[in-house]
Amino acid sequence: MDLRQGIGLRRLGTTADEFQQDLLSSLYYRRGTTVESASPRDAYEALALTVRDRLAERRARTAAAHFASNPRWVYYLSAEYLLGAQLEQNLLYSGTGDLASQSLKVLGRTLEEIEDLDVEPGLGNGGLGRLAACLVDAMATRDIPAVGYGIRYDFGIFRQSLEGGAQAERPDDWAFQGNPWEFPAPDDRQTVGFYGHTEPVAGSPTRKSWVPGEIVLGEPSHMLVPGYRTETVNIVRLWRARGSEASFDLSRFAAGQYAEAVQEAVRAENISKVLYPDDSTELGRELRLKQQYFLVSCSLRDIIRRFRLRNEGWDDFAEKTVIQLNDTHPTIAIPELMRLLVDEYELDWDKAWSITRSTFAYTCHTLLPEALETWPVPLFERLLPRHLEIIYLINMFFLREVEARFPGDSDRLRRMSIIGEGSERRVRMAHLAVVGTEAVNGVAELHSKLLRETVLQDFADLWPAKFQNVTNGVSPRRFMKLANPRLSDLITEGLGDDGWLNDLDRLAGLERLAGDASFMERWRAVKRANKVDLAAGDPDSLTDVMIKRFHEYKRQQLKLLHVITMYHRIRANPAGDWVPRTVLFAGKAAPAYHAAKNIIRLINAVGATIAADPVVAPHLTVVFAENYNVTLAERIIPAADLSEQISLAGKEASGTGNMKLALNGAITIGTLDGANIEIRARVGEENFFLFGLDAFQAAEVQISGYHPREHYDRDAELKAAIDAITAGTFGGVGREVADSLLGWDEYLTLADYRSYLDCQEEVERAWRDPDRWTRLSILNTAHSGFFSADRTIADYAARIWRVAPVPVPKDI
Ligand code: Z2T
């Protein structure tokens, strides 16, 4: 690649005049309209293109610098990205916010109204997808040469609304009006095969030729991922499935068989049609496996193409390439790379295996058994026959290695095999991911430890050095600067400069202001103003938020039992000195997850009962905010006083909402689970509300036989809360919730109830002392700098990827 690629590129103007000229050019020449007839949408698109141009110029220089230095590249493979709205972020990262507000005046528009048109691409479910977005942000900020690969779903995560208090789902046609942030790259399209059969290759014992039965095109487009306060602009490349030209049957069309004429194309395009809306459960659907292979096949060929631009042969491939697998979703990349190397590039098996193993690394995001992906062997065999053969070979060599280390331990072989031999044979993707990678990491200290000691214990025995921890982190730009400008300005003033935005440990400097009366007063005023903006409940009430996907292990039902108990207490003593609270829930439930949807319905029924009760309503409000997404999170988090992180210990791998809330000065009430433990260790025990069983105790309770009814019988308030549900106090809604709590209570909700209620009283004691609360809040922010995604990326870069930054010169 020619170093001069970026030279001679016209630098775009940085004055208000020049920006306005470019805005008008975008409007006239790219939107094809005029100032007089420009709609708000035209203004939005013209602005987006003008801002995008500034980043594109940096992107061109980034590409030139990266290709010139031929570095080790990081490829992040993820089935999900929750990038959030792009306009505000790109204004910030290109430093054009003021220019944009100024220039929009010529169109008679304000930036605020234009920002409302910026739709977030909801290409993910929750934590895992948002983590991918925070990590690509931090990779660019840290000048790491990286590409994120994903799927460009036509429909993102469903839009949630409440109908009669129950969750209803509508499709999310996010790009219906176009997406100005995306660059199509049709020249880089790939073809992907499915089904068919394999044939032996004459003269080679290991090579096979795969004759697919279906061919689909993958068309890439990319979104720009700028770094903050640096020149680097990386990309996220998203693949969209298309039928080939041959998939349109002209003769059928001519015969009037319109549906049949396009059926093959429709089948192809269905692959990237919709994001599977399951957080932490696996459905095992054929289309999902197709999506995974589609992502992997397109991305690996693209990675090889990029490697070939700068290198010859295969000797340097692993040295120049690291591919991070975001959970097991892209794990078929391991047999796919083997297939490409052995069958197509004719490398011998051992050489191919050594390249493959040293190219990949795997991040695991769960411990829940139902979230560990396995695929039925017959399905695999039909869809990806050659990959199954390769997996069998990988497994054979692997089990030989185990046998050599642990001779005669057939139990161990059975446990560790990539093929599970239950009532039906299944491919265990997590096992494949551990066997085929150089490093495996969990996403918080406790999670990584439990991985080593439980689900992956046999593998940790065999390869102890392979297992690592990399604690998650979040983008301080998006979740502080953009989401909470008031607090960010105050922090900058307190610290003297805004260097903290890409060096988050500097927040520790706030510690000395935690007792400063005027600073505390202003801190409180910021929180109050954010609550006024959010407009959910009285801004002077304690804003208690539980915002995350709905899942029984996260225990929204525990929060609800607390709400019902508060309701009972207030009714019993209306004149009591109650701490006014607004309890805000937000989150989606997987559409087929009935138990979670019942909890949503019950929350709304309880909320309605409370709102209609003149005795209780002045003290307690329950709000359910519909359609939780990144945009809504950015509004709620700055307004939160109390952060609910109450999962059963040992179940939440990390959590990242917990980090965002702590950074914004919310105090956590939480169990010793996931990253809560690390948050508590950093902010200090006295600044964190801890309750409940720890992971060890929870496991003991479950092993020794758990009887939820014993808690119900013993605790009058708990009994009253559950009885109110069954007695119909909330309109008869939620009986299934009560039945499951009393019947088996898989996540020990009742066991932690009393401890949780006691802890909430501790919370109220702190709240009644505003200075104490404000101090807690400031200290939470001050000591959460570790949870920057920039630190997470520094850890991956040093310990897993072994890559160094490649700064992009301004004058390349
Ligand atoms: C997901 O969001 C998470 C784990 C999954 O396991 C799947 C999805 Cl879609 C397969 C979450 C974890 O539940 C959460 O604890 C963690 O913080 C997040 O991933 C990012 O690591």
Side-chain angles (χ1 to χ4, degrees):
M1 194 44 73
D2 192 336
L3 242 183
R4 286 166 300 181
Q5 178 184 322
I7 295 177
L9 194 63
R10 182 171 70 88
R11 281 301 163 81
L12 297 169
T14 51
T15 67
D17 260 7
E18 292 166 316
F19 190 91
Q20 193 179 85
Q21 277 298 311
D22 290 342
L23 180 68
L24 289 174
S25 291
S26 298
L27 190 76
Y28 277 75
Y29 306 129
R30 296 157 89 184
R31 285 298 286 175
T33 186
T34 63
V35 172
E36 293 69 34
S37 51
S39 68
R41 181 85 207 167
D42 291 325
Y44 162 70
E45 296 263 352
L47 177 62
L49 293 172
T50 309
V51 174
R52 195 184 77 170
D53 288 347
R54 264 90 192 141
L55 298 177
E57 187 270 338
R58 272 167 58 189
R59 170 64 197 159
R61 283 187 286 119
T62 303
H66 286 175
F67 276 89
S69 81
N70 193 13
R72 181 172 215 217
W73 233 289
V74 176
Y75 297 108
Y76 196 80
L77 257 62
S78 179
E80 304 191 12
Y81 289 90
L82 276 176
L83 295 169
Q86 295 292 293
L87 176 57
E88 240 201 310
Q89 170 184 289
N90 288 339
L91 287 168
L92 174 67
Y93 283 57
S94 63
T96 54
D98 291 341
L99 299 179
S101 312
Q102 279 293 319
S103 309
L104 277 174
K105 287 185 189 145
V106 69
L107 302 180
R109 308 280 171 196
T110 67
L111 191 50
E112 290 67 44
E113 69 181 296
I114 294 302
E115 274 166 2
D116 287 342
L117 300 176
D118 196 41
V119 180
E120 75 168 84
L123 309 182
N125 273 285
L128 171 147
R130 182 55 228 178
L131 181 75
C134 284
L135 294 187
V136 294
D137 168 296
M139 284 185 249
T141 298
R142 292 229 169 234
D143 295 323
I144 306 289
V147 176
Y149 284 103
I151 300 174
R152 190 192 179 290
Y153 303 104
D154 291 341
F155 295 94
I157 186 69
F158 64 86
R159 300 213 172 128
Q160 177 199 55
S161 59
L162 293 175
E163 279 171 28
Q167 169 174 298
E169 301 102 19
R170 275 176 305 112
D172 168 45
D173 197 355
W174 64 280
F176 183 67
Q177 303 201 65
N179 172 20
W181 303 109
E182 202 173 333
F183 291 89
D187 286 350
D188 292 337
R189 75 171 156 248
Q190 301 290 353
T191 55
V192 182
F194 297 100
Y195 307 105
H197 64 275
T198 65
E199 291 171 0
V201 172
S204 169
T206 39
R207 284 179 62 208
K208 283 284 192 73
S209 129
W210 173 28
V211 185
E214 181 184 350
I215 299 282
V216 167
L217 299 181
E219 281 194 348
S221 57
H222 58 259
M223 310 253 288
L224 300 179
V225 181
Y228 187 64
R229 288 195 182 130
T230 179
E231 295 297 306
T232 299
V233 175
N234 287 334
I235 61 169
V236 165
R237 177 158 261 200
L238 302 173
W239 301 98
R240 188 178 194 179
R242 284 239 165 272
S244 65
E245 208 176 299
S247 68
F248 178 64
D249 191 329
L250 188 57
S251 58
R252 284 194 145 154
F253 190 84
Q257 299 172 319
Y258 305 120
E260 293 84 346
V262 294
Q263 89 189 5
E264 226 186 288
V266 168
R267 212 176 123 81
E269 283 159 26
N270 273 344
I271 293 172
S272 57
K273 189 61 70 186
V274 61
L275 168 80
Y276 275 96
D278 303 290
D279 180 90
S280 310
T281 45
E282 286 306 327
L283 272 178
R285 304 292 278 272
E286 176 166 340
L287 184 59
R288 167 99 172 182
L289 185 57
K290 266 182 121 166
Q291 288 185 338
Q292 296 183 348
Y293 180 63
F294 172 72
L295 163 64
V296 155
S297 170
C298 292
S299 306
L300 275 184
R301 285 189 190 276
D302 202 55
I303 290 167
I304 292 170
R305 175 188 66 78
R306 293 169 49 91
F307 173 74
R308 284 265 166 269
L309 291 173
R310 312 176 316 276
N311 305 278
E312 307 262 317
W314 289 99
D315 290 347
D316 297 335
F317 185 76
E319 190 192 307
K320 295 292 185 188
T321 311
V322 53
I323 303 177
Q324 188 70 40
L325 304 174
N326 196 23
D327 214 85
T328 53
H329 314 145
T331 295
I332 330 160
I334 292 165
E336 172 68 356
L337 183 58
M338 286 300 288
R339 189 186 70 78
L340 292 169
L341 295 178
V342 172
D343 293 353
E344 298 198 2
Y345 293 99
E346 305 186 23
L347 268 61
D348 70 53
W349 179 277
D350 291 343
K351 171 91 181 147
W353 183 239
S354 123
I355 290 172
T356 298
R357 249 193 173 176
S358 39
T359 296
F360 288 104
Y362 159 52
T363 305
C364 176
H365 292 265
T366 190
L367 288 161
L368 302 182
E370 67 270 30
L372 293 174
E373 279 189 300
T374 62
W375 294 101
V377 164
L379 164 60
F380 223 103
E381 189 162 29
R382 209 158 42 77
L383 188 66
L384 299 168
R386 179 57 181 147
H387 297 79
L388 186 65
E389 293 175 1
I390 290 171
I391 289 170
Y392 283 153
L393 279 173
I394 292 173
N395 199 34
M396 185 188 81
F397 291 121
F398 164 62
L399 292 178
R400 269 189 207 165
E401 198 178 329
V402 178
E403 171 64 28
R405 261 292 300 280
F406 303 95
D409 192 344
S410 57
D411 232 34
R412 186 180 295 265
L413 293 178
R414 194 181 36 72
R415 290 197 307 267
M416 295 182 80
S417 174
I418 296 170
I419 306 296
E421 314 267 354
S423 53
E424 70 176 341
R425 305 176 70 224
R426 299 180 78 99
V427 184
R428 296 161 162 169
M429 300 308 271
H431 292 202
L432 179 57
V434 175
V435 172
T437 55
E438 190 170 65
V440 177
N441 75 283
V443 290
E445 292 284 356
L446 174 70
H447 175 238
S448 299
K449 174 172 128 81
L450 292 175
L451 278 179
R452 283 190 302 260
E453 291 175 359
T454 63
V455 276
L456 300 178
Q457 193 196 341
D458 290 324
F459 294 91
D461 283 352
L462 186 63
W463 299 310
K466 204 186 253 205
F467 290 81
Q468 299 202 42
N469 172 251
V470 183
T471 298
N472 284 166
V474 303
S475 165
R477 275 75 62 181
R478 182 171 288 272
F479 291 103
M480 298 185 79
K481 174 79 179 166
L482 292 171
N484 199 345
R486 291 188 184 98
L487 193 72
S488 299
D489 288 348
L490 180 58
I491 291 171
T492 297
E493 213 189 297
L495 296 178
D497 66 73
D498 66 0
W500 58 276
L501 277 166
N502 57 337
D503 183 7
L504 207 60
D505 287 333
R506 291 204 207 173
L507 290 178
L510 295 171
E511 167 131 42
R512 63 176 183 86
L513 295 166
D516 176 310
S518 94
F519 191 80
M520 290 165 77
E521 192 48 51
R522 295 176 64 197
W523 190 273
R524 258 198 295 276
V526 163
K527 191 60 91 179
R528 191 176 190 289
N530 291 341
K531 292 199 232 180
V532 170
D533 280 0
L534 178 63
D538 176 359
D540 292 317
S541 66
L542 194 172
T543 301
D544 174 355
V545 311
M546 184 153 189
I547 48 177
K548 51 184 80 242
R549 285 296 288 254
F550 270 79
H551 201 294
E552 288 163 287
Y553 84 78
K554 295 179 188 278
R555 300 200 297 191
Q556 278 93 354
Q557 66 277 23
L558 178 58
K559 175 80 242 163
L560 187 56
L561 291 176
H562 172 230
V563 169
I564 297 173
T565 303
M566 286 191 287
Y567 165 74
H568 285 152
R569 287 181 183 174
I570 298 168
R571 277 183 64 98
N573 179 12
D577 179 20
W578 303 110
V579 167
R581 274 205 204 223
T582 301
V583 178
L584 193 157
F585 290 93
K588 294 173 183 175
Y593 188 177
H594 299 289
K597 293 174 101 173
N598 286 333
I599 296 169
I600 292 179
R601 271 198 79 195
L602 182 55
I603 287 170
N604 287 298
V606 170
T609 303
I610 290 173
D613 186 323
V615 168
V616 181
H619 308 289
L620 182 59
T621 310
V622 177
V623 177
F624 191 106
E626 288 168 294
N627 199 38
Y628 185 58
N629 59 10
V630 178
T631 307
L632 185 55
E634 289 169 15
R635 290 182 46 215
I636 296 173
I637 290 168
D641 294 311
L642 185 64
S643 161
E644 299 277 349
Q645 307 301 336
I646 62 178
S647 52
L648 174 62
K651 300 293 177 191
E652 188 69 89
S654 164
T656 46
N658 47 3
M659 302 169 185
K660 294 162 196 166
L661 284 156
L663 282 165
N664 281 279
I667 328 291
T668 307
I669 180 166
T671 50
L672 286 176
D673 200 10
N676 294 355
I677 296 173
E678 290 156 79
I679 293 175
R680 178 167 174 265
R682 292 198 148 73
V683 306
E685 295 177 14
E686 62 293 351
N687 303 320
F688 184 107
F689 296 105
L690 176 70
F691 75 96
L693 301 166
D694 67 21
F696 182 80
Q697 294 166 329
E700 293 229 297
V701 168
Q702 272 165 336
I703 288 163
S704 63
Y706 172 58
H707 304 289
R709 262 191 191 273
E710 288 174 4
H711 296 278
Y712 168 88
D713 291 333
R714 226 182 296 132
D715 191 321
E717 280 193 310
L718 171 58
K719 180 169 189 304
I722 293 179
D723 288 350
I725 300 170
T726 41
T729 307
F730 312 112
V733 172
R735 295 212 165 93
E736 306 87 338
V737 178
D739 288 348
S740 103
L741 288 175
L742 284 179
W744 55 96
D745 187 18
E746 194 179 343
Y747 299 102
L748 310 187
T749 314
L750 304 199
D752 274 347
Y753 168 86
R754 184 46 57 189
S755 159
Y756 180 55
L757 262 90
D758 290 347
C759 193
Q760 287 285 3
E761 289 191 26
E762 194 56 46
V763 168
E764 295 189 353
R765 265 193 292 283
W767 178 259
R768 285 176 199 279
D769 177 351
D771 280 348
R772 177 175 167 208
W773 189 273
T774 305
R775 219 166 26 250
L776 288 180
S777 173
I778 297 173
L779 290 174
N780 265 267
T781 302
H783 296 306
S784 294
F786 176 78
F787 302 102
S788 170
D790 300 344
R791 187 273 313 152
T792 307
I793 286 303
D795 285 353
Y796 276 105
R799 294 196 278 114
I800 295 193
W801 302 334
R802 286 172 282 106
V803 297
V806 177
V808 175
K810 278 194 200 288
D811 57 358
I812 193 169

